[in-house]
Each structure stands twice: as C-alpha cells, then as structure tokens.
Amino acid sequence: MRLFLLIAAALVVFQSPLSAADATEEQQIAILQSAASPQQKDAACAQLKRIGTARSVPALAALLADEQLSHSARYALESMPLPEAGAALIGALDKTAGLTQAGIINSLGNRREAAALPALATRVRDRDPLVASAAAVALGKIGGAQAVQALNTARSDAPSEVQPAIIDGLLRCAEQWLAKGDNTAASAIYRQCLDSKEPRFRTAAQRGLILSAGKDAASLALKALSSDDHAARLAALQLVAVIPGPTATKTFAKSLSSFPPDIQVAVIEALRRRGDTAAIPALVSATKTSPEAVRVAALRALGALGDASVVPSLAETAATTKDPVQEAAREALNQIHGKNIAQAMLSHLARAKPEVQAELILALGRRREATAVPALLKLAGSTDKSCRTSSLQSLALTADERAVSDLLKLLTKAGTDAERDAIEQTLLTICSRSKHSEVCAASVLTTMKDAAAPVRCALLRVLGRIAGPEALQELRAATRDKDSAIQDAAIRSLADAGRLDAMPDLLALAKDAPSLPHRVLALRGYWRAAALASEHSVADRLKMCAAGFAASQRPEEKKFGLIELVKIPDAGAIKLAESFLSDAGVRAEAGLAIVQIARDISRTHRTDAKAALIRLLASSPDATAREAAETLLNQLEPGAGYITTWQVAGPYTQAGKNHHALFDIPFPPEQPGAQQVKWRTLPSNTNASNPSLLDLLKFLGGQQCVAYVRTHIHSDKQQPARLDLGTDDGVKVWLDGTLIHANNVARPIKPGSDKVAVTLKKGWNTLLLKITQNIMGWEFCVRTLKPDGTPLAGLRAETSPAP
C-alpha cells in the first residue's frame, strides 16, 4: 500500500505541469499522506517549512494531533505567513491535550496569532498547568488589551505553578505597549507586577516602570537605588547607564555619596559607561575620602571621562596614596584624553610640590608626550633628585636624537657617578632606538673631544649602541687607550653591543687583550655578534664559528660558540662540532649540537645525517647525547634492526594467579625438553601503523596470562651485540637456553626500555621471550644493535632455521 501511494504521488507530479518548487512541495505532501516512516515525514515537514504554501496546510494540519509528529508539523506551520496556517493551529487545539497542545499554543504565540486570543483566554485557566502556562506566555507574545484582560482574570485564582507564566505574559504585554509609546498602559501593568514573589519579575517590573516614567525616569531610578528591595536596586543599576540626558547624569552624580559603598561602585561604573563629563565633579569628590573600592572605581572612571581639569587631582592622589589607589590614579593620568592634557600637566608642574611634580613628569613619559621634551630637559637639570630622576626616565620614553645634545651637556656637568649613570641610561635608550644614528654619533663624538675620563667612559658606552663607522672607529681607538678605565669601557661597550661590523675587532681583542676578563668579554661579544649573522651565507657563518672557536680557550666560551654553530644546518657544522667530542669540558654540548644539526639536515641530506649519528654513537661517552642520537637514528631508520619473524605459544594461565605471579611459574616453553608446546607463526602485520611492534592481544586475546615468543638469529661470526626490548608488560629473555634478562613489571610499551648486552655465537642463536599480560595492551618489540647503539648489519632471523 505504501509503495502504491508513493507511485501515485509520483504520477501526479509527472502528469501536472508544475514548476520544480511545486513538484517538490507535492512530493513532500505525498509523503505526509503516505505510510512513510516518522523519520521520513519529519524530513518532509522540514522541507515544507522552507517551501510550503497553502496547498500543504491540510496535510500538515492532519499531523498536529499525532504525538510523534505534532512538533514537526507545527514548526512548519508556525513559519508560514498564511491565515490558513494559523487557522489550522487553532483548529488543532480541541483535538489535542497536554504537551502536544502546549506546543501548538507556543507556535500560536510565536506567530502572534490574534485570532487565537479567545481560545487562549480559555486555556489560560486550563486544569493542566503545562497548557495554562503555555497559554499565558502566548497571550503575552500576542499582547493587547484583550490579552491583558484574560491574564488578569486568570491571575486572581490561578494555581501557584501557573502564576510565574501569567506574570511573564503580563510583562510581555507591557513591553509591547512601552515599545509603541503607550507608557501609561505599560506602567499600569508594571505596577501590578511589583508584588510578585519572584525577584526576577520584580526586577523586570521595576525596570519597565522606570523606563515608562519618561522625564521622571532618573528620579524613579534614584528612589529604587535607595530601596531595601534588592530586585529594585538591580533594575535601577541596569538603567543608570542608559537613561538619556545630562539631567540624569547630574541626578545620579549628585546623590552618589549617599549610597552604600557597593552601590557607589556600581553607579560609578554606570556613569563611566554613560560617557557624560557632567559626572566629573562628583567622581573627583569620590576620589578623596571614600572607601578604597569607591576611590579606585572613581579614578578608573576619571581615566575614561576626565579632561584637563582633573590633572591636579589625579596627580595629587598618585603622589599621596599607595596601591591600589595610587595605581588607579597613575593609570587615570595615562588614559585621560581631550584637549591640552600635556599643557595642563606642564602648567601644574610649575607650582606643584616635588612629589606631585614627579608623578606628572612620569605621566608625561608614559603618555609619550613629545611636546613635553623641552620642559623635561629643563627639569632634568633640577637640583631636586626626585624631579631629576623622573625627568630622565620620561625623556628615555619621549625624546629622540634632537635631545641628545642637551643631554650630553647635562652629562658633562653631572657632579656624581649616580647622576652620570642616570643620564647615560637615558642616552643609551634614545640612541638605541633612533633612526638617525649619524646625528647621535656626531653629537657624542663632538662632546668626547674635551670630556673628562668619567664622562668619556660613559660616552664610549653610548657609542656602542650607535651604528656607523665613526662610532666604531672611536671605540676601536679607545680599546688601545693608555687610560685603563677608558680601555675597559671601550672593550665592554664593543662586547655588549655585539655588532657585526665589530667582529674583527672583537676577535683581535679575544686573542690579544692584555687581561683575561677583557679577552673573555670580547669573545662573548664576538659570539653575540655571530648570532646576528643569520642572513649571511653558510660558508661565511662557518668561517665565523671556526675563527671564534680558534680563539676560545675556556669551555664557557666554546659553549657559546656551539649555541651559534647549531643554528647552521650544514654538514660542515657537524664536522666542526665533532672536533669537540674529545674535549671533556664540552663533549656533551657538542654531541647534542651534532644531533640537532643532523635533525635539521636529515630531510635534504639524510645519508650525511645518519652517518654523523653513527659516528657520534661510536665515539661519544655522554649518555644524554647518545640517547638523543639513538632516538633520532631510530626515527630516520624506523624499522632497521627490528625482528618481526616470530613463533608464539600460549596464552598460559593458572587459577588465582595474576600476571605478576605468573612471571615466575615455568610453563612448558621454558621447561627443558618439553615436547607438548604448540608453536604458531605470529603474523608480522599485527600493528599496521608500526610494523616493528607485534600485537599479542590482537592475535591471542586474554588478560592475567603469559605468552612465549621465539625466533632464531643467524650471525656470520661471534660478536657482541645489544638487544633493545620494549614490552607490555613484563619480560624474561633466554638466549640459547640461558636466562639473560628478567623484568617483572606492569607498563605500557616503550621501544628500547630494556637494553640487554649479549654475545651472538657464529651460526644460529635461539632467542626466547616470556611476556606477561595484565590488562589492556599486550605488545612487544626486539631490536638488534651493536653495543654502542649503532645498526648491526649481517643478521637474519627465521622461525625454522636451516641446518
């Protein structure tokens, strides 16, 4: 019958001259009217929700009383802007009950179906709370006087579980009136809802009442803020930021101090969001004597709203308080915007106390106020230490090369080492970031001609931060100065700068400087400069490293060189690093450098990388470097040396014994002369993602048991070897019947976790493993290597060796 209906529907489609959309609609209608499954009908309803017309309404309406498909049908009808769809939903109310009817009511509410008001007015008094609640909310969505009357009538005797939905409906009606500008009708409903027992409804009602108050909204919100009702306060706080007009700002600001501290903080944040500068006087007042939290909130608000007028107050607060108030005041000084902020700060500087001056000076620096540089230069020569120090700190942030000449004059006049150091630090910062190094260099070189030794030393340190040949030439000459202090300053400046153009000078000093400290400083500066040569050719970088190593005598400097060498992905870098494997002071670092370089070149020079790792394993005694080399070699040759040809026997169990106890129980495969062992070939592809791992669980299954695996290894000669084992879980190993290893553990597999030294005889060597199984995974792997961990060639493994 179902097939007949579908065929009939198809014939109707093909016989009618319908468009593609019409044809699709007819097909979906046919499905709804057939014996199709609920899933198919649900899918058809979803299609009709998008493309349905009045033709599909009857088919959908027929499903509204179906508990399985009612929701699917009503969702489709709900979105159709057709009177037929609304009528269908209304008509289904008398045919349904409970959850199904409540769903249809929800759809009528979402449609705002005014024709449904009489039916909903009846059902808001339904005995089923679910239906009554749905009707109350739907009435609210539709709105209007008729809906309000129905809700008020029902509210008088509705059960407690329906009351929240009725209040919800009333509030929705009020919102619609408020949106239409009928504040009187809206406020009447809001007042009705203020007596709700639920805070969320009282908050909504109070909020609506304030919004409907028009020009009196601010006064009503102010009254609510002073209320003992938390819901009322919450509603008012939500609106402080949005009630329009400067009058509202003044109303809230004027009463700010009358609120409890927590309310003050919230109102201040709302005033900040209003963005109205009319709140500034009240906020300034709140920064003075209020509780700490209020002061901090007010200062943050002033940072957003403040203008030039608040500068004196903020500076005074920053100078006379401590964290967190001081931090908030400083941040506000950083953030205030508008006209003439820098001018206001500079103007107040002239008459402020020293501690306030310091805060203003630092604020000018943090704000990067370039217009303040002339004033700051003048203040940098102040006799007040705090003022002088603050000015230099701010100049470091705001000044450029144009201020260098004035700062150099201050440097020559500085009376103490501390003053010179402070000015020097400012010069270092400015010259380091200047894009006009030639201007900086010219000023410094001119000042240096007649400078006393202490000043000249400071200038040499500044020259180290200035690019260009003139600065380098002066530094080079000073490294040979007869004055030891000047010589020391020049060498340190060159070394600290680590500049590429100074590398020949640094290398020469590393070899010939008269003192070891200077040679060490120069060499470290050389390596620091080498780090900047990444864009040079590999050949040039290798030459730099070779020259640096030739001058390096101590392990510390060689390690600096290895740090740079490891950045050169070239076989030549490996060769250079290998020269240090015999140096006990750096052999570990050299080994790790070789591994890293090998890793970097392995994609393009795989053979060279493998060869370097094998040489490292053959010559390095350092365990860390060897382990790293083995790991990388395994990655480059993932299957090399692994034995994948095995026979297996088992699993073996014993009542009451777990894997740990079974480890020491000798089962037939390990008993001498046992004949009843059934050996089977273990497939070599049990782990497709890693063929070197053999999966016993996949082949045997089981838990709390043991299995035995064996193979025969052929060696062309007697030779030492190493077995690298990985097992999940414990393992015993016999070679030619002799127990050579035992490890009774529960663990996940990790290749190479056990390493066993063996001697392979010439000919066939029988290898037997006993592997325990706790739970979950049960795998093993065995790899043959030379004792030093390098690959061992010439071996083969078979399950049945030829005689």
Side-chain angles (χ1 to χ4, degrees):
M1 181 66 181
R2 174 183 172 187
L3 179 61
F4 172 79
L5 288 171
L6 290 173
I7 293 173
L11 288 173
V12 170
V13 171
F14 287 114
Q15 290 172 0
S16 303
L18 301 176
S19 67
D22 291 335
T24 301
E25 183 180 16
E26 292 298 332
Q27 289 171 345
Q28 306 308 319
I29 291 171
I31 291 173
L32 295 184
Q33 294 173 339
S34 73
S37 68
Q39 290 81 4
Q40 291 172 310
K41 291 185 178 182
D42 175 73
C45 289
Q47 287 288 335
L48 291 172
K49 177 179 175 67
R50 295 188 300 107
I51 65 172
T53 66
R55 290 198 302 270
S56 62
V57 171
L60 290 166
L63 299 178
L64 288 172
D66 186 324
E67 290 187 0
Q68 277 190 294
L69 294 168
S70 179
H71 295 314
S72 303
R74 73 177 176 85
Y75 286 144
L77 290 167
E78 180 181 306
S79 61
M80 293 181 181
L82 304 168
E84 293 89 344
L89 289 166
I90 295 170
L93 290 175
D94 292 332
K95 304 173 186 177
T96 56
L99 183 62
T100 301
Q101 188 180 93
I104 294 170
I105 291 171
N106 287 337
S107 291
L108 288 166
N110 291 338
R111 287 175 59 88
R112 300 186 67 180
E113 191 67 53
L117 283 171
L120 295 175
T122 300
R123 282 165 178 79
V124 76
R125 304 175 70 85
D126 197 277
R127 292 181 180 180
D128 185 342
L130 183 65
V131 172
S133 296
V137 174
L139 285 167
K141 291 178 180 178
I142 298 169
Q146 188 177 348
V148 171
Q149 182 179 358
L151 288 167
N152 279 328
T153 300
R155 187 185 183 193
S156 61
D157 57 357
S160 59
E161 59 264 44
V162 180
Q163 287 289 345
I166 292 176
I167 298 297
D168 184 285
L170 285 168
L171 289 170
R172 289 175 185 271
C173 291
E175 285 176 9
Q176 292 188 48
W177 272 331
L178 185 63
K180 293 176 181 178
D182 191 346
N183 290 7
T184 301
S187 63
I189 297 177
Y190 287 132
R191 290 186 188 280
Q192 285 181 242
C193 297
L194 285 175
D195 62 355
S196 172
K197 294 180 180 179
E198 293 196 31
R200 62 191 176 105
F201 290 135
R202 291 203 309 278
T203 297
Q206 184 69 60
R207 191 177 191 278
L209 195 61
I210 293 171
L211 289 173
S212 63
K215 61 183 179 59
D216 295 324
S219 299
L220 195 57
L222 190 64
K223 182 179 178 181
L225 286 172
S226 304
S227 170
D228 293 332
D229 185 354
H230 175 74
R233 293 198 305 272
L234 181 59
L237 286 172
Q238 292 172 354
L239 297 175
V240 170
V242 298
I243 296 173
T247 302
T249 301
K250 293 176 181 177
T251 298
F252 297 127
K254 182 179 179 181
S255 301
L256 183 61
S257 61
S258 66
F259 302 131
D262 58 334
I263 300 297
Q264 283 190 60
V265 170
V267 171
I268 288 170
E269 172 57 21
L271 289 170
R272 183 193 67 78
R273 295 202 308 272
R274 289 182 67 85
D276 189 344
T277 57
I280 288 177
L283 293 173
V284 171
S285 178
T287 66
K288 302 301 182 184
T289 58
S290 304
E292 183 179 273
V294 176
R295 300 181 74 184
V296 169
L299 288 164
R300 289 174 178 167
L302 284 172
L305 301 177
D307 53 24
S309 68
V310 303
V311 165
S313 176
L314 292 177
E316 180 74 23
T317 302
T320 57
T321 59
K322 296 182 179 180
D323 285 343
V325 175
Q326 184 182 62
E327 182 179 347
R330 287 174 173 171
E331 189 60 29
L333 281 170
N334 297 346
Q335 292 180 348
I336 52 173
H337 54 278
K339 296 181 180 180
N340 304 320
I341 300 296
Q343 183 178 342
M345 289 183 174
L346 291 170
S347 176
H348 192 58
L349 266 173
R351 56 183 182 275
K353 295 179 290 186
E355 60 270 23
V356 177
Q357 281 186 328
E359 291 295 337
L360 288 167
I361 291 168
L362 291 172
L364 287 165
R366 292 192 297 267
R367 293 172 62 88
R368 305 299 196 272
E369 296 284 1
T371 58
V373 169
L376 292 174
L377 284 168
K378 184 176 180 180
L379 291 166
S382 170
T383 56
D384 181 81
K385 180 181 178 181
S386 175
C387 180
R388 186 171 62 245
T389 301
S390 301
S391 298
L392 289 170
Q393 290 175 2
S394 287
L395 283 166
L397 297 172
T398 57
D400 58 21
E401 61 279 349
R402 291 171 292 183
V404 168
S405 179
D406 289 318
L407 286 168
L408 290 171
K409 292 177 184 177
L410 291 174
L411 182 66
T412 59
K413 297 176 181 178
T416 65
D417 290 342
E419 289 181 45
R420 275 192 297 273
D421 289 345
I423 299 169
E424 178 187 331
Q425 290 304 312
T426 301
L427 283 165
L428 285 169
T429 303
I430 294 171
C431 292
S432 294
R433 70 162 182 267
S434 174
K435 295 180 180 180
H436 300 281
S437 57
E438 70 284 356
V439 176
C440 298
S443 297
V444 173
L445 292 172
T446 299
T447 304
M448 185 172 284
K449 293 177 181 178
D450 301 317
V455 174
R456 192 176 174 198
C457 288
L459 295 175
L460 287 168
R461 288 188 286 271
V462 173
L463 278 177
R465 302 290 181 91
I466 302 175
E470 295 84 1
L472 179 58
Q473 183 177 350
E474 184 67 28
L475 286 167
R476 183 183 296 128
T479 62
R480 300 185 295 272
D481 199 279
K482 295 179 181 180
D483 188 317
S484 60
I486 292 174
Q487 185 183 77
D488 178 77
I491 293 173
R492 289 180 183 276
S493 183
L494 274 176
D496 289 344
R499 42 197 290 178
L500 279 170
D501 58 355
M503 288 186 77
D505 300 282
L506 290 167
L507 190 60
L509 287 167
K511 297 176 180 178
D512 304 328
S515 69
L516 176 62
H518 283 162
R519 291 196 295 273
V520 169
L521 284 170
L523 191 51
R524 294 191 177 186
Y526 179 89
W527 289 124
R528 196 175 294 115
L532 303 175
S534 59
E535 296 185 3
H536 286 231
S537 69
V538 167
D540 285 347
R541 293 166 68 191
L542 286 173
K543 288 179 182 177
M544 291 177 189
C545 288
F549 282 129
S552 299
Q553 302 299 318
R554 304 190 320 154
E556 291 82 358
E557 283 67 57
K558 294 176 183 178
K559 290 177 184 178
F560 279 113
L562 287 168
I563 291 173
E564 300 311 317
L565 185 64
V566 81
K567 300 175 185 176
I568 306 176
D570 187 81
I574 291 178
K575 184 176 180 180
L576 195 52
E578 286 177 336
S579 66
F580 294 102
L581 290 176
S582 59
D583 187 332
V586 293
R587 64 162 60 109
E589 290 78 8
L592 292 173
I594 291 169
V595 174
Q596 183 57 53
I597 299 168
R599 186 188 308 279
D600 292 340
I601 69 171
S602 61
R603 290 188 178 181
T604 55
H605 297 79
R606 192 180 189 87
T607 302
D608 290 341
K610 287 164 54 178
L613 294 170
I614 291 172
R615 291 196 302 271
L616 176 62
L617 288 169
S619 60
S620 176
D622 183 74
T624 303
R626 292 177 60 82
E627 182 179 359
E630 286 185 26
T631 300
L632 180 56
L633 195 58
N634 290 342
Q635 293 171 358
L636 298 179
E637 294 185 328
Y642 280 101
I643 301 172
T644 58
T645 303
W646 296 90
Q647 290 178 312
V648 61
Y652 294 93
T653 61
Q654 194 172 108
K657 302 294 185 182
N658 65 9
H659 70 286
H660 188 78
L662 295 172
F663 185 83
D664 292 318
I665 297 175
F667 293 99
E670 64 179 279
Q671 296 172 2
Q675 301 296 319
Q676 68 272 36
V677 179
K678 181 181 179 181
W679 290 101
R680 294 175 287 170
T681 299
L682 180 64
S684 59
N685 61 347
T686 54
N687 189 323
S689 62
N690 189 348
S692 61
L693 300 183
L694 285 303
D695 194 334
L696 294 172
L697 184 64
K698 183 179 292 186
F699 187 67
L700 299 176
Q703 60 184 22
Q704 303 307 331
C705 56
V706 300
Y708 293 82
V709 295
R710 74 175 182 182
T711 193
H712 304 276
I713 303 172
H714 188 273
S715 175
D716 292 334
K717 60 183 178 181
Q718 179 173 312
Q719 58 183 322
R722 192 179 86 191
L723 298 178
D724 276 18
L725 310 172
T727 59
D728 179 356
D729 293 284
V731 63
K732 277 188 179 181
V733 185
W734 291 264
L735 184 62
D736 292 328
T738 301
L739 181 66
I740 59 172
H741 179 69
N743 191 3
N744 191 1
V745 294
R747 64 184 177 186
I749 191 167
K750 179 183 178 183
S753 55
D754 292 5
K755 302 182 189 302
V756 185
V758 299
T759 298
L760 298 175
K761 67 186 180 184
K762 182 179 180 180
W764 291 103
N765 300 261
T766 300
L767 183 64
L768 175 68
L769 276 64
K770 178 181 183 179
I771 305 168
T772 63
Q773 158 67 336
N774 182 14
I775 56 174
M776 300 177 66
W778 193 14
E779 294 179 305
F780 76 98
C781 60
V782 180
R783 190 181 195 188
T784 55
L785 299 165
K786 289 181 179 180
D788 61 7
T790 57
L792 177 58
L795 301 181
R796 70 179 190 272
E798 296 183 11
T799 56
S800 300

